[in-house]
Structure formats: C-alpha cells, structure tokens
C-alpha cells in the first residue's frame, strides 16, 4: 500500500485501469505532437513560409507548453488530474483545428504555438504521471514513470507513419482535423485518472508558492532543472527539423517519417529500461550517462555520411535515449519533495526542458535560413550534451530537508 493517501475517487479505480487509460492518453497526445515535424515541408510549401517562421510557431508551442506546465501540474495536484486532462484535450483539439485556418506565421504562432502548447501541457504524459505518482510506492514510481513514457513513445512510433500516409493521401489540413477528432474521442478515458494527491506522511504541508521557494533553495533540484534544458533542446530540434534535414541530404520524405517512428519504437525500450534502472542505480549517474551518450551519437551522425542506414541507426540510438531522461528526472523530483507537489515541481523542471525546446526549434530554422545548413545546431547539440552530463554529477539522491517533518522534541 502506498504511503500516499488518496481521495475516495482515486481509490475506486483499479490501478491497472488507471495505468491503461493513462497510457492511452499519453500515446495519443504525444503521438500527435511528435508528428508535427512531418508538416514542415507541406506547410511551408503551401503557405509560402520560411523555415524560421514555421520553427518559431513550433518554438512558441514548446515554450507555451513549458510555461503552462507548472500551473497545469499545480491544478492537477489540487483539483485532480481528470479535470485538467479533459480541459487539456479540448484545448489541444481546438488548437489543431485553428491551425487549418491559420495562413500566416502570426496566426500559426497563436494556433500551433500558444493554444496547442497549452493543450499539450494540460493533457500529456506529464499530467498522467501525476496520477501514477500518487498511486504507487516511492520505490516503484520510477518504473511506473517509465511505463508512462514508453506509452508516449509508442504513440510516436504509431503516429509517424500514419501521419505521413494521411498527409500524402488527404493533405495536412485534413490530417490535423482527424487528429483533433481523435483527441475528443479519448476524453472518456480521463475518468479513470480522477483524484488528487494528498499530503504524505513525513512531509510538510505548505502553500504552493512556499513549496516552490523551498524547492528552488535545494541545490540538487536546481542542477536537475538546468540539466533538463538540454533534453528539450535535443528532442525539439531533432523532432521538427530532422525530416527536412534528411530530405536536404537527398533522402526521400518517407525516411524522415520512418526515422521519427524508429525513435518512438526504440524509446519504448529505452523508457522501460530507464525506469527499471532508476530503481537500481543512482538516478543522477543514469542521467549523466544518457546525456553523454547522446553527445557521442550526434557526433557520429554528423561526421559520417548521411544515408538511410545511418539515419535509422541514429534514430535507433537516440530512441533509446529519447525520453529515457523522464523517469529518473521525475523520480528524483518525488524523492526530493514527495508526491504531494510533484505536478508543480516537475512542471518547473519541465519548463526548463521547454525553454530548451524553444531555442532548439527556433535556432534550427534561424540557422538554416541564414546558412542553408543545420550543421551549427548539430555541433551545439554535442557541446550541450557533454555539459549536461557534467551538471548531473553533483546531484545527491536524498530528500530535501525543508520538506521533511521534524521529529517532536
């Protein structure tokens, strides 16, 4: 039995049903989001936009997601995950529909950027993990977070080829409308995730603003937040710009969609493995290893000739490392502070991740438009991977003293 007290609503839901429904929501929301890179060429071609303009819309989406995530997490902590997810799915679907009637970069910044970004923040796997985190003991949380992350990756694997087929067969506008309809159809699944986190034994109850202040005073948390920036930079740049990069290298558009699918497929394994390892090895060392290996993989991909073989090999390796940072990062947050404030405090770390995503997506388009190449951004990705590996080494795997109840005198 978990040490986390839960509400009557959450007790009534079997754990298996909660996990299955949460994983299906995570798969759909992440699968649609990670298919946006397939829209780069058709959208810019049809609307006459530059790569930088499209990249800005995607960058704003990632930033809006990050800014909204702490608030979405705090709402889920206080009022329950189901309510937040239902609202998020509706907003997400509206954002996709508005993209269809957004012919300019400015309108795309609003629809694809702000509205869709807020919808993702309030419906994706970060909120699903709040429900998972309150329902299982501390020693099993990292594994459960790995399962949620793997489900998100399965969505990426499934939606990439389907999205490319729909775009080729029906156009990008119809594809977005079909995706929005799917989001509306999965709303009933959120019922299984109802309930909210309550105070755990041994932890201080405090206002959310005070919890944030105390958390930021904990040095290991600050380092974790800084390091997570690099994860966002890598993922967003590759997800949005790699399909176009492969076409620039002479490969067919299908190579881009299948590369994104391969990343999703291998990340299922990587996420589950990361969740399993997170309960057996120091999480900070696991994270340092992931970031270092990413830097090596990017370096090999950049300096070797780009072929379908090297593209799929790189996608496979990056897939193993893709969202494998999430289970140990979320696990460290709950280990530092307990599950009570997980939604908000993981959301703050995720804001850093999304600032990295903003810069990675925007910089990719900016550098390409001004140099005709993505090389500078690939090189920066190598350096940032090495820097993040170093940042994680001083982190200590222990609870924050300011969140622990002091024994009675």
């Amino acid at each position: 039995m978990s040490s986390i007290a839960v509400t009557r609503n959450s007790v009534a839901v079997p754990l298996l049903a909660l996990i299955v429904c949460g994983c299906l929501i995570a798969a759909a929301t992440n699968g649609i989001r990670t298919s946006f890179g397939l829209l780069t060429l058709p959208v810019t071609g049809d609307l006459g936009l530059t790569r930088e303009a499209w990249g800005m819309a995607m960058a704003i989406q990632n930033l809006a997601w990050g800014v909204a995530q702490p608030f979405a997490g705090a709402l889920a902590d206080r009022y329950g995950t189901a309510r937040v997810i239902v609202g998020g799915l509706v907003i997400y679907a509206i954002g996709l529909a508005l993209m269809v009637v957004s012919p300019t970069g400015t309108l795309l910044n609003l629809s694809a950027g702000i509205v869709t970004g807020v919808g993702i923040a309030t419906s994706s796997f970060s909120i699903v993990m709040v429900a998972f985190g309150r329902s299982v003991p501390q020693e099993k949380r990292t594994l459960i977070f790995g399962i949620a992350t793997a489900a998100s990756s399965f969505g990426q694997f499934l939606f990439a080829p389907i999205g490319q087929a729909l775009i080729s067969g029906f156009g990008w506008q119809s594809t977005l409308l079909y995706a929005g309809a799917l989001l509306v159809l999965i709303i009933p699944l959120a019922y299984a995730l109802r309930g909210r986190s309550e105070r755990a034994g041994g932890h201080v109850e405090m206002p959310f603003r005070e919890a944030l202040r105390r958390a930021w005073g904990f040095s290991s948390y600050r380092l974790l937040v800084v390091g997570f920036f690099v994860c966002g930079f890598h993922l967003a740049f590759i997800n949005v710009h790699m399909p176009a990069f492969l076409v620039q290298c002479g490969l067919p558009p299908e190579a881009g969609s299948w590369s994104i699918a391969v990343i999703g497929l291998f990340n299922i394994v990587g996420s589950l493995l990361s969740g399993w390892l997170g309960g057996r090895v120091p999480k900070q060392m696991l994270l340092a290893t992931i970031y270092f290996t990413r830097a090596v993989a990017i370096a090999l991909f950049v300096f070797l000739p780009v072929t379908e073989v090297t593209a799929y090999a790189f996608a496979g390796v990056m897939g193993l490392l893709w969202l494998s940072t999430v289970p140990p990062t979320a696990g460290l947050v709950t280990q530092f502070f307990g599950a009570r404030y997980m939604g908000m405090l993981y959301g703050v770390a995720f804001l850093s991740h999304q600032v990295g995503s903003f810069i990675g997506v925007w910089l990719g388009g900016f550098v390409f438009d001004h140099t005709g190449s993505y090389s500078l951004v690939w090189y920066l990705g190598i350096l940032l991977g090495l820097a993040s590996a170093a940042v994680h080494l001083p982190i200590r795997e222990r609870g924050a003293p300011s969140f622990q109840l002091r024994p009675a005198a």
Side-chain angles (χ1 to χ4, degrees), residues 148-345:
T149 309
S152 300
S153 304
F154 178 75
Q156 180 174 339
F157 167 72
L158 184 65
F159 278 77
I162 292 175
Q164 185 63 58
L166 289 172
I167 291 169
S168 300
F170 301 98
W172 61 271
Q173 297 95 334
S174 295
T175 300
L176 287 171
L177 293 177
Y178 295 149
L182 175 63
L183 293 173
V184 173
L185 289 174
I186 65 173
I187 284 177
L189 297 176
Y191 180 78
L193 278 69
R194 65 194 187 280
R196 62 186 180 89
S197 303
E198 301 287 356
R199 182 174 66 84
H203 287 83
V204 178
E205 180 76 6
M206 67 190 84
F208 280 82
R209 184 177 298 179
E210 176 64 15
L212 178 59
R213 187 190 69 79
R214 293 193 189 188
W216 193 249
F218 190 54
S219 61
S220 288
Y221 179 65
R222 292 199 303 271
L223 292 172
L224 188 69
V225 170
V226 170
F228 214 22
F229 168 94
V230 178
C231 182
F233 182 95
H234 286 158
L235 269 58
F237 168 69
I238 293 172
N239 190 67
V240 172
H241 293 290
M242 185 172 173
F245 170 75
L246 294 179
V247 171
Q248 182 191 21
C249 294
L251 302 184
E254 290 75 18
S257 63
W258 279 110
S259 293
I260 298 299
V262 168
I263 289 174
L265 178 62
F266 277 77
N267 192 43
I268 296 172
V269 178
S271 298
L272 292 173
L273 181 61
S274 175
W276 181 78
L277 287 173
R280 289 162 175 78
V281 301
K283 297 177 183 65
Q284 69 274 21
M285 297 304 298
L286 177 59
L287 287 165
T289 302
I290 290 169
Y291 286 111
F292 178 80
T293 309
R294 278 191 190 180
V296 173
I298 294 172
L300 291 174
F301 180 59
V302 170
F303 293 117
L304 289 174
V306 177
T307 66
E308 288 196 48
V309 172
T310 60
Y312 295 147
F314 173 70
V317 174
M318 287 302 296
L320 291 173
L321 309 169
W322 193 251
L323 291 176
S324 59
T325 58
V326 171
T329 299
L332 281 172
V333 171
T334 60
Q335 189 158 354
F336 294 159
F337 312 116
R340 175 67 179 92
Y341 303 100
M342 180 199 167
M344 180 183 65
L345 296 179

Side-chain angles (χ1 to χ4, degrees), residues 99-118:
M99 287 175 66
V100 176
V101 292
S102 299
T104 66
T106 300
L107 289 175
L108 280 174
N109 289 343
L110 176 62
S111 59
I114 296 174
V115 178
T116 302
V118 172

Side-chain angles (χ1 to χ4, degrees), residues 40 50-56 58-59 233-234 236-242 244-245 248 356-378 380-381:
T40 300
T50 63
R51 299 279 180 90
E52 183 179 357
W54 171 248
M56 176 58 74
M58 293 295 98
F233 182 95
H234 286 158
F237 168 69
I238 293 172
N239 190 67
V240 172
H241 293 290
M242 185 172 173
F245 170 75
Q248 182 191 21
S357 297
F358 174 90
I359 294 175
V361 173
W362 169 78
L363 191 63
F366 178 83
V367 168
F368 180 86
D369 283 344
H370 287 78
T371 69
S373 170
Y374 290 109
S375 295
L376 291 177
V377 189
W378 286 116
L380 180 59

